Amino acid sequence: MNQVHYTTEGFAVYTILLGIFKSTYRIEIMGEVFAEDDLYTKDGTVDYRNNPAKKNETGTWKACPFILGNECCERLAYYGMSTNLVLYFKKRLNQHSAAASKNVSNWSGTCYITPLIGAFLADAYLGRYWTIACFSIIYVIGMTLLTMSASVPGLKPSCSGEDVCHPKEVQTAVCFVALYLIALGTGGIKPCVSSYGADQFDDADEVEKKQKSSFFNWFYFSINIGALVASSVLVWIQDNVGWGWGFGIPAVTMAIAVVSFFSGTRLYRNQKPGGSPLTRISQVLVASFRKFDVNVPEDKSLLYETTDAESAIMGSRKLNHTKDLGFFDKAAVQIESDHMKGNIDSWRLCTVTQVEELKSIIRLLPIWATGIIFSTVYSQMSTLFVLQGAAMDTRVGNSSFKIPPASLSIFDTLSVIFWVPIYDQFIVPIARKITGHKNGLTQLQRMGTGLFISIFAMVSAGILELYRLKFVKRHNYYELEE
């Protein structure tokens, strides 16, 4: 073992420097390097100037209030506009109940397809910050145009009574252009905001890693605060004051969301775009089938991986090899033809990390599939349930005050607002002691518990619907169903 001799002067200098730089600098004295905890994050994030992000100046809960504020205002704008949309189609655009429900469902479905575009652009080219920023502006433009279509003479439908309107084709077209601009805008926000919040916590730091789990609880909490205001106050305004105000307030709220997001720019940690995941997945699939007759070596260390400390995928860490789905390991098997031209062909040879990325997505498919039926049922809250509520006597007691039909969804929101703090502050600590897991329950266990509870919710809703249909048949109320 080599012996190192330090002078008294050397240690004095070291002590002074250590006192000044308590964070993570590497200090070299007498040719030797002393390493302490890094001043910078270890996950490759950068600050707004594209410099390595400093732990004590960026990210964590310093940056998250701006992200949570953005999400709360954006969800308030979204639900404030969408919750009552089926009645707007029926009353102002003079659409039949079935047509109104279909148009709302088509638009809502588009809102969940456009995130594929936003996620692709964020991962491959723009990064999450600029994707959120650009698509938020599109969102505001859409909200402004929707407000104009409901309030500006010539753009809003002419009505001879409270619910007797005669929209022109151009007026209906302007409304739908606005709505699909909003759908495009939400496509850049929905897939990025939660991930961007997660970027503010360094997984290499155990303290920050634990805080990330708490962030997602409060992220969902902020979503439901926005939904609560939207499904109560804004819906009442739309039904009793007017659609111009009912859409105008969400438009202003969305503008506030944009301001909130930009206000935290100096505090954010940003991941650099790591290239298109679709391209990487396609490369693994092509390389695997090209080598379908190649045997995977028993020694998995022989599979191809970069020699660098970090992954070849920018902003990502290396993934360890797993045993299942072994066919795709063929893409990482090195054969002589892979190196014939000097350069490695990514469509013939992929890294272990690329292969594991594809495996992870395949493992998620069953989890995604479990949510399909649940999402189908849940979507009825914004269409069928609202139309049913419009046919109900929604007066509170003997008073003249009526609960707006679209506000019936508020019970879902209230339950989330009630349970998230309880879960985060009480259930997680108790579950952590029982299971030994740092988050109390794993993500899969949480999802499974929620799906199990939803079974009873759907059973009770189904029983109630059977009684309702029998009542309609007995009293011949079919006209009210239209």
Side-chain angles (χ1 to χ4, degrees), residues 247-259:
F247 288 153
I249 294 174
V252 173
T253 305
M254 186 60 212
I256 294 173
V258 175
V259 172

Side-chain angles (χ1 to χ4, degrees), residues 180-316:
Y180 280 91
L181 278 175
I182 293 169
L184 179 60
T186 195
I189 298 173
K190 194 184 293 289
C192 294
V193 174
S194 60
S195 299
Y196 194 58
D199 288 343
Q200 309 310 310
F201 301 92
D202 187 356
D203 276 338
D205 186 307
E206 287 300 322
V207 175
E208 291 191 14
K209 190 174 182 179
K210 184 180 294 186
Q211 290 175 341
K212 181 189 288 190
S213 177
S214 181
F215 164 78
F216 285 114
N217 291 334
W218 289 105
F219 179 81
Y220 194 46
F221 180 80
S222 67
I223 289 175
N224 284 275
I225 288 292
L228 173 65
V229 177
S231 57
S232 56
V233 178
L234 291 182
V235 166
W236 185 89
I237 291 173
Q238 290 166 357
D239 285 356
N240 296 277
V241 179
W243 292 98
W245 282 101
F247 288 153
I249 294 174
V252 173
T253 305
M254 186 60 212
I256 294 173
V258 175
V259 172
S260 173
F261 179 74
F262 281 118
S263 297
T265 298
R266 292 175 176 268
L267 298 174
Y268 296 145
R269 296 174 183 175
N270 304 298
Q271 286 282 6
K272 294 180 180 179
S276 169
L278 296 178
T279 301
R280 296 195 298 270
I281 290 170
S282 299
Q283 288 172 342
V284 175
L285 291 172
V286 171
S288 299
F289 282 100
R290 277 183 169 181
K291 299 177 180 177
F292 72 94
D293 57 346
V294 174
N295 294 322
V296 179
E298 291 293 331
D299 185 0
K300 299 305 184 287
S301 64
L302 298 176
L303 297 176
Y304 176 67
E305 182 60 278
T306 58
T307 56
D308 298 332
E310 297 182 356
S311 168
I313 304 170
M314 188 177 297
S316 300

Side-chain angles (χ1 to χ4, degrees), residues 22 49 149-150 152 189 223 237 246 253 260 273 277 375 404 429 454 458:
K22 290 184 178 180
R49 291 177 176 172
S149 73
V152 175
I189 298 173
I223 289 175
I237 291 173
T253 305
S260 173
S375 298
S454 71
M458 290 301 101

Side-chain angles (χ1 to χ4, degrees), residues 301-371:
S301 64
L302 298 176
L303 297 176
Y304 176 67
E305 182 60 278
T306 58
T307 56
D308 298 332
E310 297 182 356
S311 168
I313 304 170
M314 188 177 297
S316 300
R317 66 183 187 276
K318 286 184 178 180
L319 300 177
N320 295 324
H321 175 268
T322 56
K323 295 181 180 179
D324 54 348
L325 300 171
F327 173 80
F328 298 107
D329 290 339
K330 295 176 183 291
V333 176
Q334 303 183 67
I335 59 178
E336 186 176 349
S337 60
D338 292 334
H339 304 275
M340 286 182 63
K341 296 181 180 180
N343 296 325
I344 295 176
D345 183 358
S346 298
W347 293 92
R348 295 190 63 88
L349 181 62
C350 304
T351 64
V352 171
T353 297
Q354 275 184 266
V355 174
E356 292 303 318
E357 193 176 38
L358 174 60
K359 288 182 180 181
S360 298
I361 292 175
I362 294 175
R363 293 189 194 102
L364 282 174
L365 291 178
I367 299 175
W368 288 340
T370 60

Side-chain angles (χ1 to χ4, degrees), residues 93-166:
L93 299 187
N94 199 26
Q95 295 182 353
H96 189 273
S97 296
S101 297
K102 182 192 73 173
N103 287 328
V104 171
S105 297
N106 290 342
W107 174 79
S108 179
T110 304
C111 289
Y112 284 92
I113 291 176
T114 52
L116 295 175
I117 300 173
F120 173 79
L121 292 175
D123 289 338
Y125 301 107
L126 300 179
R128 295 189 180 102
Y129 176 85
W130 285 110
T131 301
I132 296 171
C134 295
F135 281 78
S136 293
I137 294 172
I138 296 174
Y139 201 131
V140 173
I141 294 172
M143 289 296 304
T144 303
L145 184 59
L146 181 64
T147 303
M148 293 173 64
S149 73
S151 58
V152 175
L155 290 179
K156 70 175 182 178
S158 58
C159 301
S160 56
E162 182 180 354
D163 297 326
V164 183
C165 298
H166 308 282

Side-chain angles (χ1 to χ4, degrees), residues 422-479:
I422 292 177
Y423 176 83
D424 192 55
Q425 299 298 321
F426 298 101
I427 297 179
V428 168
I430 294 173
R432 190 180 291 142
K433 292 180 180 179
I434 297 173
T435 64
H437 192 275
K438 61 180 181 298
N439 295 327
L441 298 173
T442 65
Q443 296 290 338
L444 193 62
Q445 288 171 336
R446 292 169 63 177
M447 292 172 63
T449 303
L451 289 173
F452 179 74
I453 294 174
S454 71
I455 293 173
F456 299 98
M458 290 301 101
V459 168
S460 61
I463 293 173
L464 180 62
E465 181 66 5
L466 288 174
Y467 278 104
R468 190 190 70 82
L469 292 175
K470 288 181 180 179
F471 188 83
V472 169
K473 183 178 181 180
R474 185 183 307 122
H475 297 279
N476 196 27
Y477 285 159
Y478 290 106
E479 290 185 1

